[in-house]
Amino acid sequence: MERPAPGPSTEGPAAVDDRPATPTADALTGAPVGAPLTAGPGRAAVSDDEEPPPGLIRHILQGIPLRRRVGILVSVGGGLLVALIAIAVFFTAQRALYDQLDESLVQRATVAAAGDLADPAILLRVSSDALAAGEVRVAIVTADGEFVTLRGNSPPLGAAEVSAARQDPATSVRTGVADGEVYRVVAVYAGEGRALVLAQELDPTRRTLSKLAVVLLVAGASGVLLAALTGVAIARAGLRPVERLISATERVARTGDLRPIPVTGGDELARLTTSFNAMLAALASSIERQRRLVADAGHELRTPLTSLRTNLELLMASERASANPGGPTLSAQDREELQADLRAQVDELANLIGDVVELARDDPPEVTAEPLDLADVVERALDRARRRAAAENVVFDVDLASCEVTGDANALERAALNLLDNAAKWSPPGGRVRVTLREGVAPERPGTAVLEVADQGPGIADEELDLVFERFYRSLDARTMSGSGLGLSIVAQVADRHHGGVSAHRAPEGGALLRFWVPRR
């Protein structure tokens, strides 16, 4: 045992370290604390010119299938979460171990400073082998910078320990290096201008932290792998409804099959599937309406075209016969009747084609809705209807109240004219047609402008009240009369486009009562 010369240790003064969480940089890496990091050999600094262009990552992700993209994003997110948790656990454990070590050293140093070990004479009689077995080094430092220690058992000493002897502050905790080993050094004031210094090796603590780092690394890698597998599973399960939608759209495009897709669950994808099924149903309904329209139009056009061709052939045969002397010819009256019949058939054919074109529109014509008085519209329709029904001496009993609405004047006039023409057609010669326009006449449709047209004809059978507004529908009695069966369908279409409605009833006069209503302005 020896007593070194007074003075600070050759380790040099050290700054007071207030409970650090990690050893000094020179103990871990050999680099001075606070030294700037520079690019080493073979490592080039990243320049701004090498940054990826904006949107490159997004462009790369857009080129990857959605399932893989979701799997990658979930895997990366899960991996980052696992890495953050592992880092947090490591640094929390590191701080806890160093705090526990510091607390233990301070407690032991305080107890030793209150006992005989703070006496230099007693310290020199302690066996250095006993201290080395406990991986502890002990020294006594005075306020003048003198210190007492054992040979080969000197802890790292410096200005921090001298400050503890001067009670400035009375306790210091720092990390130091002695004989190439890293120690945790604690100095506590021991009275009479002395400080007791205890130093404990950090190797056991660092080995524990190394084992913890290995465990966290293995657990983190397993977590990343599990996150990747989970991401793939989530992508497959979550995108299965999307794949069904894709298969359905491809099937529709390839085969035209509009069968609905089975809906499972109640999430957003189920709502998307339901919406897609509604779109398929609307498309199927539209195709079916167009198919029915074409079939019905072909059937209705066949009769006037056949009659027109027959009359034309008869007229042409008469012309050829008149060119031969003595051949049969048509009288002037028969010729006039034939020509009148041809004109009537052409007019009927033109009206039928116009009605078909009107009903064939899935979307309403682009017109600007304007505020108007429905009574004025009905008056204009009445003027035209009176001229058409003049030959049958049909009388219109009119009672119109001013009703302000918003809509297409031409479409509303055509709907009113079709109702009036239908009533005049079914009225007997000299019959009367009651025309009424009131606000809220229909009790089931308050807040509307309601037009009622009643005739004195045979009326509508109860089983046909819901059918008269369908395209090309004609009752058995109507098949021998002129018309295409589209007039009331156009009325229903105009009402629907104006957010209104139509209905058929039996009139008190015994005939038909047709009701048409649109919202008031």
Side-chain angles (χ1 to χ4, degrees), residues 405-450:
V405 299
T406 300
D408 179 8
N410 293 329
L412 292 173
E413 182 177 348
R414 180 166 189 179
L417 180 60
N418 286 355
L419 290 174
L420 297 173
D421 285 343
N422 181 78
K425 181 175 70 174
W426 288 100
S427 296
R432 309 185 72 85
V433 175
R434 177 169 56 87
V435 183
T436 306
L437 177 63
R438 288 285 186 271
E439 292 186 355
V441 170
E444 71 273 19
R445 289 292 184 272
T448 56
V450 183

Side-chain angles (χ1 to χ4, degrees), residues 104-292:
S104 175
L105 282 175
V106 170
Q107 184 177 2
R108 290 160 61 187
T110 301
V111 173
D116 296 336
L117 193 60
D119 187 349
I122 296 178
L123 176 63
L124 292 175
R125 292 200 298 270
V126 176
S127 172
S128 59
D129 294 336
L131 294 176
E135 299 180 344
V136 176
R137 296 191 179 192
V138 184
I140 297 175
V141 180
T142 66
D144 297 333
E146 298 179 352
F147 62 92
V148 177
T149 184
L150 302 178
R151 178 185 297 274
N153 196 257
S154 175
L157 299 175
E161 288 71 34
V162 176
S163 298
R166 297 173 181 172
Q167 292 185 289
D168 184 26
T171 302
S172 73
V173 180
R174 70 182 182 91
T175 300
V177 179
D179 300 332
E181 299 292 338
V182 181
Y183 287 85
R184 196 64 173 162
V185 184
V186 172
V188 297
Y189 180 70
E192 300 180 0
R194 296 193 301 268
L196 180 65
V197 180
L198 290 182
Q200 175 119 17
E201 286 188 27
L202 288 179
D203 279 346
T205 303
R206 293 171 67 183
R207 285 194 297 270
T208 301
L209 291 175
S210 298
K211 293 178 181 179
L212 178 62
V214 173
V215 172
L216 291 177
L217 181 61
V218 174
S222 302
V224 171
L225 179 60
L226 180 61
L229 297 177
T230 304
V232 173
I234 291 175
R236 288 182 177 178
L239 296 179
R240 190 171 292 114
V242 178
E243 292 179 354
R244 287 201 298 267
L245 284 177
I246 295 174
S247 300
T249 55
E250 292 176 348
R251 185 194 71 213
V252 171
R254 184 177 61 256
T255 64
D257 186 2
L258 301 179
R259 288 176 299 172
I261 307 171
V263 181
T264 57
D267 54 5
E268 290 79 2
L269 290 176
R271 291 175 54 193
L272 177 61
T273 305
T274 302
S275 300
F276 188 78
N277 286 340
M279 182 187 68
L280 290 179
L283 181 59
S285 177
S286 176
I287 293 175
E288 179 61 24
R289 288 196 304 269
Q290 295 298 326
R291 185 181 293 113
R292 285 176 49 199

